[in-house]
Amino acid sequence: MLMSRNSLLFPQLAIALLLIFGQLPLKAQTVAPATDDRPTQAADAAAEVTGKSESSESTTADQKDIADPKDKVKGRYVRVKRDKDGEPLAMETAVIRFHPAAKKAEPVIVDLVGAVHVGEKSYYDELNRRFKKYDVVLYELVAPEGTRVPREGRPASAHPVSAVQNGMQSMLELAHQLDCVDYTRDNFVHADMSPEEFAKSMKDRGESFMQMFFRMMGHGIAEQSRDPQRSQDRQLLAAMFAKDRALRLKRIMAEQFESLEDQTGVFEGPEGSTVITERNGKAFERLREQLDAGKKKIAVFYGAGHLPDMEERLSRDFGMQRVRVQWIPAWSLTSPEKP
């Protein structure tokens, strides 16, 4: 019975911890912005092989991407890429570009860059390469104003969310976002709540992590009641004891992530939530400030679970529309033995 209850909750916990919650909260640790502008390891390797610098667009992922027409419609922020036989190849996250709906002499670009908080190192290398091209990168991190994650890795945190994320990172044999993304660059701007703001909002709304836990459990039970075939007890049990445990678990979780908007709705009541609504509001205060300061190319780098609400805000409050979606592989879902 215990396994059954755990399996009901597992997908919801995975989505919350990997696509909604960042590291929270962190103690204050401020470091000076980086002064060097060395390319990431991925760009270094590409330059070595091709003899071209990272500015050479012929080798970049952005130029190779071809937008899928259905991606112009709101609703997809994480997807599983499959081969012609339907076998999963990779879980990918979206980079969604927005332009003002009204034509302007000087176009403004806002990209929503959906993140998964543990992923392949190559995923974060690609994000680092892309982030160099923006005037500003607004990033999530429930931490005091001025906090920067140092290059040598994230500060220690005793928060339960961090502890579970660390466990999942190890179990899935992946890297953690805060260990790989270069937050010390001059164009990175903190755009999230402080721990004090977060705690006050939770208290004012009558929210708690335990309440969220029970909401997720209730959602899982309801899902299984509607479709008993969706129970993953056997799959999870088999995956936990398999030699390729990490691969099997990633495949199970990736399938759930595709229904992102339905899953993240568990956290949102009629008045929204601190975890999504209030944090997104803080991020978009910073976005408004940067636009007012004349910045023309801005990335909003947040967990993919935040993107449905963010897209609504860009349309409603900023008069912007989705014009393009690109996809970045976050998890490999193929066996290392396969080509």
Side-chain angles (χ1 to χ4, degrees):
M1 187 62 181
L2 180 61
M3 181 62 200
S4 177
R5 287 178 179 171
N6 285 343
S7 63
L8 289 171
L9 187 58
F10 183 76
Q12 284 73 35
L13 274 174
I15 288 172
L17 294 172
L18 301 184
L19 299 181
I20 298 174
F21 290 100
Q23 186 93 351
L24 69 147
L26 284 176
K27 296 179 180 178
Q29 181 165 354
T30 305
V31 297
T35 56
D36 65 68
D37 194 33
R38 290 175 297 176
T40 62
Q41 292 179 9
D44 278 336
E48 225 176 274
V49 173
T50 64
K52 299 177 182 178
S53 70
E54 68 164 346
S55 62
S56 173
E57 293 299 318
S58 63
T59 60
T60 63
D62 359 6
Q63 197 174 57
K64 290 188 289 184
D65 285 340
I66 300 175
D68 184 338
K70 61 187 172 186
D71 286 331
K72 290 186 178 179
V73 181
K74 173 182 171 291
R76 292 215 300 176
Y77 307 94
V78 179
R79 74 178 185 184
V80 176
K81 184 178 181 181
R82 304 174 187 277
D83 65 17
K84 57 183 175 59
D85 298 318
E87 288 296 308
L89 299 175
M91 186 183 78
E92 302 177 322
T93 60
V95 178
I96 310 172
R97 176 152 296 181
F98 293 82
H99 288 171
K103 300 295 182 184
K104 295 186 177 182
E106 292 185 85
V108 171
I109 291 170
V110 175
D111 284 354
L112 295 183
V113 182
V116 55
H117 299 311
V118 301
E120 311 287 347
K121 186 177 181 300
S122 58
Y123 170 61
Y124 299 117
D125 286 342
E126 173 62 17
L127 289 175
N128 280 328
R129 184 192 65 76
R130 288 176 178 244
F131 287 152
K132 295 179 183 181
K133 300 180 180 181
Y134 293 96
D135 298 331
V136 176
V137 178
L138 302 176
Y139 66 91
E140 70 168 317
L141 189 69
V142 176
E145 285 293 326
T147 298
R148 290 285 187 101
V149 181
R151 279 193 171 185
E152 59 268 21
R154 57 197 148 128
S157 173
H159 196 279
V161 169
S162 301
V164 177
Q165 283 185 345
N166 291 342
M168 295 178 76
Q169 170 192 346
S170 175
M171 184 169 60
L172 299 174
E173 298 175 5
L174 295 169
H176 197 288
Q177 173 182 320
L178 294 181
D179 292 331
C180 298
V181 173
D182 184 1
Y183 288 87
T184 66
R185 290 194 173 277
D186 289 336
N187 63 340
F188 268 58
V189 173
H190 182 236
D192 205 337
M193 304 175 84
S194 70
E196 293 76 19
E197 289 173 323
F198 187 88
K200 183 178 184 302
S201 179
M202 292 274 282
K203 182 179 179 181
D204 292 346
R205 285 175 166 271
E207 297 173 340
S208 69
F209 284 105
M210 186 60 68
Q211 180 190 71
M212 294 179 196
F213 179 90
F214 283 115
R215 276 189 185 178
M216 289 185 287
M217 178 171 283
H219 180 75
I221 293 171
E223 286 294 304
Q224 185 169 342
S225 297
R226 285 196 293 269
D227 185 3
Q229 296 303 314
R230 291 186 65 180
S231 175
Q232 297 172 325
D233 292 6
R234 292 180 182 176
Q235 284 180 290
L236 283 169
L237 187 60
M240 292 300 294
F241 294 98
K243 289 182 179 180
D244 57 347
R245 179 181 69 176
L247 175 62
R248 293 198 188 193
L249 288 175
K250 283 191 291 186
R251 285 180 172 178
I252 292 170
M253 292 166 63
E255 295 287 346
Q256 294 291 326
F257 288 175
E258 281 196 297
S259 58
L260 173 64
E261 203 162 359
D262 175 58
Q263 301 281 5
T264 56
V266 175
F267 296 94
E268 298 284 87
E271 302 300 321
S273 68
T274 295
V275 170
I276 295 178
T277 313
E278 297 297 338
R279 293 175 66 202
N280 286 3
K282 186 78 172 185
F284 276 46
E285 287 177 17
R286 295 289 179 265
L287 174 61
R288 179 70 71 185
E289 291 170 3
Q290 295 299 325
L291 290 170
D292 290 345
K295 298 299 190 291
K296 300 299 182 186
K297 188 173 184 182
I298 302 173
V300 182
F301 178 44
Y302 253 73
H306 291 262
L307 269 51
D309 176 72
M310 285 186 167
E311 179 156 6
E312 293 284 354
R313 290 171 187 262
L314 282 175
S315 174
R316 181 187 68 232
D317 302 334
F318 290 79
M320 305 193 86
Q321 62 185 6
R322 172 192 285 232
V323 295
R324 187 188 77 185
V325 179
Q326 295 176 322
W327 295 95
I328 305 178
W331 294 357
S332 172
L333 301 179
T334 60
S335 171
E337 288 76 28
K338 289 189 176 182

